[in-house]
Amino acid sequence: MATSSARTKVVLRRHIRRAGVLRVVQPRAEATRDALLDAGRRLLNERDFDAMSIADLAAANALSVGSFYGRFRDKEAYFALLQEMVTSEWTEATLRDFDVRRLAGWSAGRIVRLVTTQVVNVYRNDRGFISAALRHASTHPGAWTPLKRAGARFANVVTALLAPRLTHLPRMARAARVRFAMQLLYGMLINAVLNDPGPLNLDDPRLEKELARALSAYLGLRPR
Amino acid sequence: MATSSARTKVVLRRHIRRAGVLRVVQPRAEATRDALLDAGRRLLNERDFDAMSIADLAAANALSVGSFYGRFRDKEAYFALLQEMVTSEWTEATLRDFDVRRLAGWSAGRIVRLVTTQVVNVYRNDRGFISAALRHASTHPGAWTPLKRAGARFANVVTALLAPRLTHLPRMARAARVRFAMQLLYGMLINAVLNDPGPLNLDDPRLEKELARALSAYLGLRPR
DNA sequence: ACTATTTTCGAATCCTAATTCGAATTTTTT
DNA sequence: AAAAAATTCGAATTAGGATTCGAAAATAGT
């Protein structure tokens, strides 16, 4: 299994041509670029995008502000790349874990439990990044961000898996039900990450179970 | 029925002693203060707290920046008062509409429908303010804001109304179920206001119905 | 070893918004 | 009417973060 740093490199290679990510020739520039991206991901667990200054990012690696701008056109270009990087990791995990053939014999209820567990874990592990990306996106209404894209993609995967299993519902209603259920799940977790509300916060071990219960009930599945 | 401006005055009178809201002697100063608060509420429908400058607020009433600071210690004190003002209006409506005696003969299902309708309407009508307050609060983790207070208060009211009606559940689980249902509802609407997600956005006429369906199902109520 | 290219450094510049402050204006009191 | 108090004005100040830029340092090529 690849380490986190090596994984960064593999995923990153796909997005390197992005406008605003400046050309790298020497290995040290590549190392600088990667170190800045890793630092960003870490720092976003402590503060949001606006509160994370270029000076913070540079200092996290004993680098200068000028060297940041030698690698990224500006702060926005940097963040766009970071978002692509992180959400691409998620998408890879999704394709692996939610393969239609792999889950062929699974019941709807069991899939709902897998979905809630997976999504809650993503939000738990990357809460800082998600929070920052959400806050940043909310100042650009209408923007189709990597985060939104990843969320929509996953909802599509889940809909394709679950809708055919909701045989007790009219055929026309199945996909819409699953999509709304996903909207409930995302809403719940987005609120958890942004506002840390009660009664169950993101770290509460009961959260997955209660979410699965709610979604299953809404989808009309037998309680287990 | 009092007009919006007169209503502002009535509600405002309760919060005037706030630290950071400067003393008023002459009527023109009172008018300035009130005009600035009304402008803030309006402007927050177009932009968030950070993007709403003091110059914007002043200009909305052909006033100067200096006159803003003659009335409020700083931008934070201003926003705190504005939040108290708006959430106090909500709380008044809640006390009126969710009176235990008034809803004595109501079924749980019917109360859920009333709850979802009411909360969705609050979010529809004050989406700009709510969005701004949420974004602002998320940069002050742990802060117990007027918005959170109002949300918690309402959840308490709903719990007191619904829990006794969930006779099919163990007595120990009833309040917890209602509280989680409220968390689902808030999460859904907070996401709607911040991110305008699909499939059902805040203006979709199906939203209340689908939310009531989800919450009723989760609470184990008979579909209607 | 020397030259050319790349990269980083760190101070300076730029920009923007919050806040301050002394003067001008308005209102109230004598 | 004059003096005192309250209020507003609008330019100046302050603060803080993004970005630029010329010089210094590091690396690659000959």
Side-chain angles (χ1 to χ4, degrees), chain A residues 127-150:
Chain A
R127 74 188 67 186
F129 166 79
I130 292 167
S131 177
L134 286 167
R135 283 198 217 111
H136 184 257
S138 75
T139 62
H140 303 66
W144 189 242
T145 63
L147 192 65
K148 275 196 170 182
R149 202 176 302 133

Side-chain angles (χ1 to χ4, degrees), chain A residues 151-206:
Chain A
R153 203 177 283 135
F154 186 60
N156 289 341
V157 169
V158 175
T159 303
L161 278 169
L162 280 180
R165 288 169 165 85
L166 305 186
T167 48
H168 54 284
L169 295 178
R171 202 176 287 274
M172 305 299 296
R174 295 177 193 172
R177 284 289 167 89
V178 180
R179 288 190 184 286
F180 190 77
M182 291 305 292
Q183 193 177 349
L184 279 168
L185 180 59
Y186 287 149
M188 187 73 177
L189 293 174
I190 285 168
N191 191 29
V193 139
L194 290 178
N195 302 313
D196 195 32
L200 304 192
N201 73 16
L202 195 53
D203 293 311
D204 197 303
R206 294 170 292 179

Side-chain angles (χ1 to χ4, degrees), chain B residues 111-123:
Chain B
I111 292 174
V112 165
R113 286 194 297 282
L114 179 66
V115 168
T116 52
T117 301
Q118 199 95 319
V119 179
V120 168
N121 280 332
V122 165
Y123 274 72

Side-chain angles (χ1 to χ4, degrees), chain B residues 132-163:
Chain B
L134 286 167
R135 284 199 217 108
H136 184 257
S138 75
T139 62
H140 303 66
W144 189 241
T145 64
L147 193 64
K148 274 196 170 182
R149 203 176 300 130
R153 203 178 280 135
F154 186 60
N156 289 340
V157 168
V158 175
T159 304
L161 278 169
L162 279 179

Side-chain angles (χ1 to χ4, degrees), chain A residues 17-222:
Chain A
R17 291 284 183 78
R18 281 197 86 82
V21 182
L22 306 185
R23 191 176 68 119
V24 158
V25 176
Q26 298 177 7
R28 63 173 171 163
E30 184 170 356
T32 295
R33 183 200 61 207
D34 296 347
L36 289 169
L37 288 164
D38 289 342
R41 195 166 177 182
R42 234 167 37 242
L43 287 178
L44 289 177
N45 282 315
E46 301 166 18
R47 71 202 69 163
D48 71 298
F49 180 70
D50 285 339
M52 177 179 75
S53 65
I54 305 295
D56 292 334
L57 276 172
N61 293 289
L63 291 168
S64 67
V65 167
S67 63
F68 173 94
Y69 286 100
R71 302 276 62 74
F72 306 98
R73 184 190 61 218
D74 55 29
K75 198 179 179 187
E76 290 291 327
Y78 167 83
F79 195 49
L81 180 60
L82 186 61
Q83 284 181 80
E84 287 291 351
M85 197 182 95
V86 177
T87 55
S88 288
E89 285 182 19
W90 299 347
T91 301
E92 282 193 12
T94 297
L95 293 179
R96 199 178 55 231
D97 297 336
F98 288 83
D99 178 63
V100 171
R101 271 157 307 167
R102 183 170 161 253
L103 305 187
W106 286 40
S107 68
R110 195 167 168 209
I111 292 173
V112 166
R113 288 193 294 283
L114 179 66
V115 168
T116 51
T117 301
Q118 200 94 319
V119 180
V120 168
N121 280 333
V122 165
Y123 274 71
R124 280 191 181 135
N125 294 334
D126 279 307
R127 74 188 67 186
F129 166 79
I130 292 167
S131 177
L134 286 167
R135 283 198 217 111
H136 184 257
S138 75
T139 62
H140 303 66
W144 189 242
T145 63
L147 192 65
K148 275 196 170 182
R149 202 176 302 133
R153 203 177 283 135
F154 186 60
N156 289 341
V157 169
V158 175
T159 303
L161 278 169
L162 280 180
R165 288 169 165 85
L166 305 186
T167 48
H168 54 284
L169 295 178
R171 202 176 287 274
M172 305 299 296
R174 295 177 193 172
R177 284 289 167 89
V178 180
R179 288 190 184 286
F180 190 77
M182 291 305 292
Q183 193 177 349
L184 279 168
L185 180 59
Y186 287 149
M188 187 73 177
L189 293 174
I190 285 168
N191 191 29
V193 139
L194 290 178
N195 302 313
D196 195 32
L200 304 192
N201 73 16
L202 195 53
D203 293 311
D204 197 303
R206 294 170 292 179
L207 185 58
E208 292 102 298
K209 186 182 169 189
E210 216 56 29
L211 281 169
R213 185 200 302 270
L215 269 53
S216 295
Y218 173 68
L219 294 172
L221 310 182
R222 289 288 108 190

Side-chain angles (χ1 to χ4, degrees), chain B residues 200-221:
Chain B
L200 305 191
N201 73 15
L202 195 53
D203 293 312
D204 198 305
R206 294 171 293 180
L207 185 58
E208 293 101 300
K209 184 180 171 190
E210 216 56 26
L211 281 169
R213 186 200 304 269
L215 268 54
S216 295
Y218 173 69
L219 294 171
L221 309 182

Side-chain angles (χ1 to χ4, degrees), chain A residues 7-27:
Chain A
R7 180 149 217 88
T8 302
K9 287 188 163 57
V10 170
V11 173
L12 200 47
R13 210 159 288 144
R14 297 204 200 103
H15 304 284
I16 255 359
R17 291 284 183 78
R18 281 197 86 82
V21 182
L22 306 185
R23 191 176 68 119
V24 158
V25 176
Q26 298 177 7

